[in-house]
């Protein structure tokens, strides 16, 4: 059955009054589901996303990967929809759909011609509560997930390094587990594990809807009430903090895998953004990452790849808007003829330069210019706008804070960047993972199960 | 992420249509062909210039010249060195992109449309295009980095599979040649200078412009960008493609998964079977989660995370390919299913229901393939570079809807010929 916007408008569902002039617009249904709508009338299309505040960090040992497995199973049948029918309906509407799971959340989306939005909301609302899970569907899909793990991780040396780095950096905190799950956990997972996950976390009060596109927010609110409004709120499982104990010494690990170039990843424990208005260090760390590796003229490209030619590639990364614990990561491949030790020394020397000499006014200005340009360019993509709203919400902040967050970044001073460089890059909280490349001729074929243990 | 396939789908289902997208076209005084859409909503400007300067135009033993010529445009130009070029771009918030594939080399610019930023960005684009200096020291460094990447790629099953597959389906043709340690090692500065002079000419340039500028501003921009280019350029065609003999090639590798490619050279961008094949491919393996390959290989049997098929038409016969990765112990079973699906589809074509679903997705889905300046820029450049009609967008729904099951079947029979079908498996036991 298809519904048209006009038909639904006649139903006259009661919805909380819309905020007056701001775009995006937000409402909250009685069952706790929040609906955020950004009107963008440039083209007759719309993005519809549902985000669940349940990611791999909410999993338990022994069932790692279940958040992602459930994501796959969400495309199977519901009480009223046959397996595979979801994708078929989206395709027939001219749309595209997919989903993704992270440490912090699981999100589903459809990009469609605007006339198909009501049907998408109906379908998405249906699988929020009515998924039918059984052993048979699970048995085929878990194999797909294992193939995905082989593709993304087991046969990808750099991904193995990052998996190992995370499991070394965190011992108590759930970020130690890979989102895709350990292969052994996938092999021992049952359909009941997926069902339990679904029952525990898939509830309107643990989700929010983001719609961006050629839509009227009042109509979207009415549709949300019609389709999502009928679900009941649930009591959610308790979330324990699982804070990581203080690390008191450097940790080094090695991963052996078929490759030619070595690879190095270094990760320090640093604060995440908690109080958007009072915190300063997370913004300064963000700017530091940009100065080192934010653009083509940044220090790593200029000094390490082009200048001293010590690196084949070099990067710096910090994400402070997340639910769990943040890290600041430096990584890279040494240039041919250079060693991992030389690259590590060069990366450390770049940090030391910031510690000793700070950053220039020109470098700060460039970071700000990039921020401003990116804000304008982002408006060319509905999906980028929806992802920005959804991502900020997932980290526990509010979409209304997006502009404030960007403004805060622009206020970071050179002194603050230098101060965080001095404060957080202590060896005692450092984790280092190195890829030790193995010749492919000598690497032994894997065991028949395909299980990989490093 | 549930699948990687959608990337392939969006690249190769060349759907770009919205009634009323107004494409203006003219030839600049420089001789460059210009394609323009005025889009005033956002204060941004996108420009792309394409040349017949891809890998297919490089001499024997010199694979890598096209890519290095393109990437070294930004390594020094006029009186600017690479640091000054990178710094200026960053200072105005502009981005240069592009690269070289088999047919074309592209350079694209995204900038804020405000006059100061726009003018500075366009001046820089003009300089790197027209007056690259190809500094010897930078060339040596980039050759070293390129060789290191090639050696690294030679250890990766996906990269090995991609390289060996094109070698196998394009024997003796430049479409089948990828840069090697030897070919890159032998490249000299003079060769880059010469390649630029011969292939980056104004008369062969296709300029695509979309954004917050008027027609007269766009005319001035196109001329400004191309007037200082070398005078040459123009209609260049790679040597003719010969189809390979059917073969199965196995390459050893210790990976957990086998990487499988099945395919052959299929059609050029101007082939009259273009629409029957892209409509038909939707049902076979192009239509994301709803294709036959997806259903049989992934949904029913759990053999693969990613399985797809596509046609990638080029100036000459570009590849048709079916690809997947699967646990190495079951690769023969997966291949058997692939062959059954392909054979069955070749024999009977799409069912009426499948054909209708394919058309519905492609026609109704056009709106989302052209809903941004960035997406439209890609389509402008394809129309310009491959000489497609200016009405391509408006014609698209009618062309798709006109395809019959009989045409799909006949077109597949003409182009996906079993006697030329190559199967390549990396990490086979």
């Amino acid at each position: 059955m298809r519904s048209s916007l006009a038909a639904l408008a006649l139903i006259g569902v009661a919805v909380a009054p819309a905020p007056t002039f701001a775009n995006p617009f937000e409402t909250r249904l009685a069952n706790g589901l929040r609906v955020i709508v950004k009107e963008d009338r440039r083209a007759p299309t719309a993005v519809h996303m549902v985000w669940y505040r349940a990611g791999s960090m909410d999993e338990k040992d022994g069932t790692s990967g279940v958040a992602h497995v459930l994501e796959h199973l969400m495309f199977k049948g519901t009480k009223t929809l046959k397996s595979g029918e979801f994708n078929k309906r989206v395709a027939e509407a001219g749309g595209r759909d997919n989903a993704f799971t992270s440490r912090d959340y699981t999100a589903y989306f459809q990009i469609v011609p605007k006339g198909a939005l009501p049907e998408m909301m109906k379908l998405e609302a249906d699988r929020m509560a009515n998924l039918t899970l059984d052993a048979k569907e699970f048995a085929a899909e878990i194999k797909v997930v294992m193939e995905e793990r082989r593709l993304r991780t087991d046969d990808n040396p750099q991904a193995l390094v990052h998996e190992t780095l995370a499991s070394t950096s965190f011992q108590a905190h759930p970020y130690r587990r890979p989102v895709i799950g350990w292969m052994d956990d996938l092999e021992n997972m049952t359909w009941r594990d997926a069902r339990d996950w679904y029952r525990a976390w898939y509830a309107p009060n643990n989700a929010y809807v983001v719609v961006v596109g050629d839509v009227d927010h009042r109509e979207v609110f009415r549709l949300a009430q019609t389709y999502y409004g009928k679900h009941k709120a649930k009591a959610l499982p308790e979330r324990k903090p699982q804070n990581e104990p203080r690390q008191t010494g450097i940790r080094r690990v090695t991963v052996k895998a078929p490759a030619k170039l070595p690879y190095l990843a270094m990760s320090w424990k640093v604060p995440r953004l908690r109080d958007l208005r009072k915190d300063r260090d997370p913004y300064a760390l963000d700017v530091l990452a940009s100065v080192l590796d934010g653009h083509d003229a940044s220090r790593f490209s200029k000094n390490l790849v082009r200048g001293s030619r010590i690196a084949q590639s070099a990067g710096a990364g910090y994400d402070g808007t997340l639910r769990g614990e943040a890290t600041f990561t430096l990584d890279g491949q040494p240039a041919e003829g250079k060693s991992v030790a030389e690259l590590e020394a060069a990366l450390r020397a770049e940090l030391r330069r910031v510690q000793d000499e700070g950053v220039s006014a020109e470098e700060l200005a460039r970071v700000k210019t990039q921020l401003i340009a990116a804000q304008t360019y982002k408006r060319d993509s509905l999906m980028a706008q929806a992802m920005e709203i959804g991502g900020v919400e997932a980290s526990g902040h509010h979409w209304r804070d997006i502009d404030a967050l960007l403004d805060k970044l622009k206020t970071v001073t050179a002194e603050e960047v230098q101060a965080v460089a001095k404060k957080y890059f202590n060896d005692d909280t450092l984790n280092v993972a190195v890829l030790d490349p193995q010749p492919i001729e000598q690497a032994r074929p894997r065991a028949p199960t395909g299980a990989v243990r490093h | 992420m549930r699948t990687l396939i959608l990337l392939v789908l969006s690249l190769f289902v060349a759907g770009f249509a919205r009634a009323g997208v107004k494409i203006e076209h003219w030839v600049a005084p420089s001789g460059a062909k210009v394609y323009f859409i005025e889009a005033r909503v956002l204060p941004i400007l996108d420009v792309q210039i394409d040349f017949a300067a891809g890998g297919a135009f490089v001499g024997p033993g010199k694979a890598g010249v096209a890519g290095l010529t393109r990437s070294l445009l930004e390594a020094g130009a006029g009186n600017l060195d690479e640091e000054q070029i990178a710094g200026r771009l960053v200072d105005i918030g502009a981005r240069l992109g592009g690269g070289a594939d088999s047919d074309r080399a592209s350079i694209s610019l995204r900038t804020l449309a405000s006059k100061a930023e726009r003018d500075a960005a366009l001046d820089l684009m003009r300089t790197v295009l027209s007056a690259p200096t190809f500094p010897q020291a930078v060339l040596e460094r980039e050759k070293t980095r390129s060789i290191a990447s090639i050696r690294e790629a030679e250890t990766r099953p996906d990269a090995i599979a991609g390289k060996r597959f094109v070698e196998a389906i394009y024997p003796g043709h430049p479409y089948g040649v990828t840069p090697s340690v030897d070919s890159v090692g032998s490249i000299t500065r003079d060769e880059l200078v010469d390649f630029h002079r011969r292939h980056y000419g104004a008369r062969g340039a296709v300029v695509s412009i979309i954004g917050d500028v008027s027609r007269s501003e766009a005319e001035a921009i196109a001329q400004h960008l191309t007037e200082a280019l070398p005078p040459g350029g123009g209609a260049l065609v790679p040597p003719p493609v010969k189809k390979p003999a059917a073969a199965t090639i196995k390459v050893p590798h210790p990976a957990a998964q086998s990487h499988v490619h099945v395919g052959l050279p299929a059609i050029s961008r101007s082939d009259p079977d273009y629409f029957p094949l892209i409509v038909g491919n939707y049902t076979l393996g192009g239509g994301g989660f709803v294709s036959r390959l997806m259903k049989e290989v992934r949904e029913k049997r759990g053999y693969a995370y990613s399985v797809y098929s596509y046609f990638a038409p080029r100036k000459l016969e570009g590849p048709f390919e079916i690809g997947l990765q699967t646990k190495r112990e079951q690769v023969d079973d997966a291949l058997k299913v692939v062959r059954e699906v392909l054979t069955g589809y070749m024999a009977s074509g799409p069912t009426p229901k499948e054909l209708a679903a394919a058309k519905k997705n492609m026609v109704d889905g056009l709106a989302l393939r052209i809903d941004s300046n960035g997406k439209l820029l890609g389509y402008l450049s394809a129309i310009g570079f491959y000489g497609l009609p200016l009405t391509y967008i408006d014609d698209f729904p009618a062309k798709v809807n006109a395809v019959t099951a009989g045409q799909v079947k006949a077109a597949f029979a003409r182009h996906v010929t079993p006697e030329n079908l190559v199967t390549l498996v990396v990490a086979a036991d």
Side-chain angles (χ1 to χ4, degrees):
Chain A
M1 194 195 87
R2 282 160 197 260
S3 313
S4 73
L5 288 170
L8 281 157
L10 294 175
I11 297 170
V13 180
V15 178
T20 44
F21 27 75
N23 184 25
F25 304 87
E26 180 186 327
T27 192
R28 181 190 288 269
L29 306 185
N31 60 19
L33 181 82
R34 289 170 62 225
V35 183
I36 303 154
V37 180
K38 187 170 185 186
E39 297 181 0
D40 182 326
R41 304 296 183 94
R42 280 205 311 150
T45 56
V47 175
H48 173 232
M49 306 189 84
V50 177
W51 296 64
Y52 293 92
R53 295 181 194 279
S56 65
M57 76 174 287
D58 302 300
E59 294 166 349
K60 300 273 191 286
D61 279 354
T63 52
S64 68
V66 70
H68 172 251
V69 168
L70 196 269
E71 179 220 300
H72 276 240
L73 294 169
M74 283 282 278
F75 292 83
K76 304 299 182 187
T78 70
K79 287 172 189 161
T80 53
L81 208 64
K82 279 195 316 191
S83 182
E85 191 68 15
F86 191 101
N87 290 133
K88 219 167 131 189
R89 297 269 185 100
V90 176
E92 276 176 8
R96 283 191 276 147
D97 67 322
N98 214 324
F100 45 92
T101 307
S102 85
R103 299 181 299 186
D104 293 357
Y105 58 80
T106 309
Y108 301 80
F109 69 88
Q110 302 87 38
I111 311 173
V112 289
K114 65 173 177 175
L117 181 65
E119 191 188 8
M120 296 305 115
M121 294 179 74
K122 181 170 184 254
L123 285 167
E124 195 65 82
D126 177 37
R127 66 179 175 179
M128 178 177 277
N130 299 320
L131 198 64
T132 49
L133 291 163
D134 64 43
K136 190 164 163 277
E137 294 277 21
F138 177 87
E141 200 60 30
I142 194 72
K143 290 185 196 161
V144 173
V145 174
M146 288 191 254
E147 293 295 346
E148 184 176 355
R149 186 186 154 89
R150 289 182 189 105
L151 182 69
R152 288 187 189 280
T153 308
D154 295 342
D155 284 344
N156 181 338
Q158 291 194 10
L160 284 173
V161 168
H162 282 282
E163 184 173 272
T164 307
L165 182 64
S167 63
T168 306
S169 300
F170 296 110
Q171 300 181 338
H173 188 71
Y175 279 2
R176 73 184 186 281
R177 287 186 300 259
V179 174
I180 190 99
W182 301 112
M183 188 61 102
D184 194 64
D185 286 353
L186 295 176
E187 282 168 348
N188 290 293
M189 197 173 287
T190 70
W191 74 276
R192 287 184 195 82
D193 294 319
R195 182 201 57 193
D196 292 348
W197 181 262
Y198 180 66
R199 284 184 181 166
W201 296 110
Y202 280 62
N205 49 315
N206 195 39
Y208 49 96
V209 170
V210 179
V211 174
V212 180
D214 187 5
V215 298
D216 180 321
H217 68 278
R218 288 161 300 195
E219 286 174 332
V220 177
F221 290 171
R222 273 192 286 274
L223 289 165
Q225 178 61 42
T226 303
Y227 294 127
Y228 292 101
K230 58 190 169 197
H231 300 323
K232 289 202 169 53
K234 287 182 193 170
L236 299 170
E238 187 186 4
R239 299 181 205 256
K240 305 273 192 187
Q242 303 185 76
N243 292 320
E244 183 71 13
R246 196 167 64 89
Q247 185 179 336
T248 54
I250 190 169
R251 298 173 190 151
R252 289 183 180 273
V253 287
T254 303
V255 174
K256 288 184 177 181
K260 180 73 184 162
L261 290 174
Y263 174 68
L264 163 75
M266 311 169 72
S267 169
W268 285 264
K269 306 254 174 71
V270 296
R272 70 180 169 97
L273 184 65
R274 290 168 189 273
D275 187 323
L276 195 124
R277 285 177 179 77
K278 287 189 193 139
D279 284 351
R280 291 301 300 174
D281 285 0
Y283 300 112
L285 287 163
D286 203 295
V287 171
L288 174 62
S290 294
V291 167
L292 296 176
D293 180 38
H295 48 75
D296 217 28
S298 62
R299 290 191 179 190
F300 280 5
S301 295
K302 186 177 172 189
N303 300 338
L304 303 182
V305 177
R306 296 194 293 261
S308 68
R309 304 183 185 186
I310 209 158
Q312 172 81 2
S313 63
Y318 168 69
D319 179 4
T321 45
L322 29 65
R323 281 174 53 198
E325 302 208 6
T327 55
F328 194 107
T329 302
L330 303 183
D331 71 337
Q333 295 171 300
E336 264 195 333
K338 304 286 181 188
S339 67
V340 168
E342 286 171 296
L343 178 63
E344 181 180 330
L347 293 171
R348 285 173 178 272
E350 286 297 330
L351 272 179
R352 200 167 313 116
R353 262 187 59 211
V354 179
Q355 290 163 349
D356 295 346
E357 300 160 29
V359 298
S360 70
E362 186 194 33
E363 286 175 306
L364 273 187
R366 282 179 169 174
V367 170
K368 287 165 197 173
T369 304
Q370 294 298 302
L371 277 171
I372 294 163
Q375 281 308 97
T376 304
Y377 299 152
K378 181 192 71 198
R379 290 167 60 201
D380 194 38
S381 164
L382 294 183
M383 191 65 186
Q385 297 177 73
M387 285 296 294
E388 181 177 55
I389 292 168
V392 165
E393 288 282 335
S395 65
H397 302 288
H398 198 284
W399 61 263
R400 283 199 183 86
D401 294 328
I402 289 172
D403 288 340
L405 209 146
L406 292 163
D407 287 341
K408 284 278 187 183
L409 275 173
K410 293 177 200 160
T411 66
V412 170
T413 65
E415 292 70 32
E416 287 176 311
V417 177
Q418 186 171 13
V420 293
K422 285 181 175 167
K423 186 172 172 186
Y424 293 110
F425 295 87
N426 182 306
D427 269 12
D428 284 351
T429 70
L430 172 60
N431 296 271
V432 184
V434 169
L435 170 65
D436 178 3
Q438 304 296 302
I440 56 173
E441 304 80 37
Q442 287 164 29
R444 272 185 301 140
R446 304 262 161 85
T449 58
V452 177
R453 294 176 184 82
H454 287 269
Chain B
M1 201 77 170
R2 191 161 177 257
T3 185
L4 302 165
I5 300 309
L6 289 165
L7 295 173
V8 175
L9 176 70
S10 60
L11 279 173
F12 296 108
V13 174
F16 43 103
R18 167 170 62 177
V21 171
K22 191 178 159 214
I23 300 175
E24 299 184 51
H25 168 56
W26 63 91
V27 176
S30 65
K33 289 185 286 181
V34 189
Y35 298 81
F36 170 56
I37 296 174
E38 187 171 338
R40 295 292 202 161
V41 179
L42 298 181
I44 60 177
L45 173 69
D46 287 277
V47 180
Q48 180 169 324
I49 306 187
D50 291 88
F51 301 91
F57 302 104
V58 169
K62 291 293 175 184
V65 163
L68 276 172
T69 302
R70 168 60 194 87
S71 63
L72 261 62
L73 293 180
E74 292 156 55
N79 53 15
L80 303 174
D81 67 22
E82 59 182 342
E83 300 308 334
Q84 291 167 317
I85 291 171
R88 278 197 191 190
L89 280 167
V90 171
D91 285 338
I92 55 176
R95 295 170 187 174
L96 276 184
D101 62 19
S102 292
D103 287 339
R104 42 176 171 167
S106 307
I107 182 164
S108 59
L109 169 74
R110 168 161 278 194
T111 176
L112 300 169
S114 41
K115 192 159 170 29
E117 280 80 9
R118 182 182 94 196
D119 287 351
L122 290 166
D123 282 347
L124 197 64
M125 189 181 194
R126 170 186 158 119
T127 305
V128 302
L129 270 173
S130 309
T133 52
F134 300 113
Q136 185 69 41
V138 178
L139 173 62
E140 291 309 322
R141 183 193 73 215
E142 291 306 310
K143 279 167 65 174
T144 303
R145 289 184 68 212
S146 174
I147 287 168
S149 308
I150 291 166
R151 291 207 173 108
E152 178 65 30
E154 282 169 356
T155 67
R156 288 193 352 244
D158 55 337
I160 295 168
K163 184 185 174 87
R164 295 292 298 269
F165 180 66
V166 296
E167 274 172 20
I169 67 168
Y170 292 108
H173 191 273
Y175 278 179
V177 181
T178 47
S180 67
V181 170
D182 287 345
S183 73
V184 170
S186 78
I187 292 169
T188 66
R189 181 179 177 277
D190 285 349
E191 287 164 343
L192 301 192
V193 171
D194 183 58
F195 193 77
H196 177 260
R197 187 177 52 74
R198 287 190 293 117
H199 291 276
Y200 284 72
R203 278 201 298 282
V206 174
V207 183
S208 306
I209 303 174
I210 181 168
D212 191 9
V213 292
S214 67
R215 160 80 187 238
S216 64
E217 286 170 321
E219 285 180 14
I221 288 168
Q223 177 63 10
H224 180 64
L225 288 174
T226 53
E227 66 190 354
L229 286 173
L236 288 160
V237 181
V241 169
K242 274 180 276 175
K243 293 207 173 187
T248 297
I249 300 162
K250 295 189 172 184
V251 184
H253 190 282
Q257 277 186 322
S258 304
H259 289 242
V260 177
H261 295 264
V262 178
L264 77 180
I267 55 162
S268 74
R269 194 59 188 73
S270 57
D271 196 292
D273 283 333
Y274 178 77
F275 280 99
L277 289 176
I278 62 161
V279 172
N281 185 62
Y282 179 91
T283 301
L284 175 63
F289 296 118
V290 296
S291 73
R292 286 193 188 184
L293 283 169
M294 200 66 156
K295 234 170 275 174
E296 296 299 323
V297 176
R298 172 168 158 159
E299 305 285 333
K300 273 195 197 161
R301 295 173 178 86
Y303 280 162
Y305 171 65
S306 158
V307 55
Y308 55 85
S309 68
Y310 67 82
F311 288 90
R314 299 180 184 170
K315 276 272 190 222
L316 299 178
E317 291 86 345
F320 162 75
E321 190 205 313
I322 297 173
L324 67 93
Q325 309 85 29
T326 190
K327 186 163 71 165
R328 58 190 300 148
E329 297 81 12
Q330 66 197 14
V331 65
D332 291 338
D333 298 331
L335 251 173
K336 189 162 166 272
V337 175
V338 165
R339 292 211 174 95
E340 281 166 9
V341 169
L342 179 62
T343 310
Y345 193 62
M346 300 272 302
S348 54
T351 65
K353 241 176 137 176
E354 286 174 327
L355 184 63
K359 290 177 177 179
K360 186 131 189 352
N361 176 269
M362 292 174 74
V363 172
D364 289 356
L366 293 176
L368 38 128
R369 298 195 191 95
I370 56 163
D371 66 359
S372 72
N373 293 9
K375 293 178 192 174
L376 279 166
L377 182 73
Y379 300 139
L380 274 185
S381 69
I383 286 175
F385 187 76
Y386 290 107
L388 308 178
L390 284 184
T391 55
Y392 186 88
I393 287 173
D394 289 344
D395 298 345
F396 187 87
K399 297 257 189 198
V400 168
N401 281 325
V403 171
T404 65
Q407 288 172 344
V408 171
K409 208 177 133 183
F412 267 81
R414 267 193 291 279
H415 300 287
V416 185
T417 40
E419 65 271 25
N420 306 111
L421 210 54
V422 172
T423 300
L424 180 105
V425 183
V426 172
D429 285 313

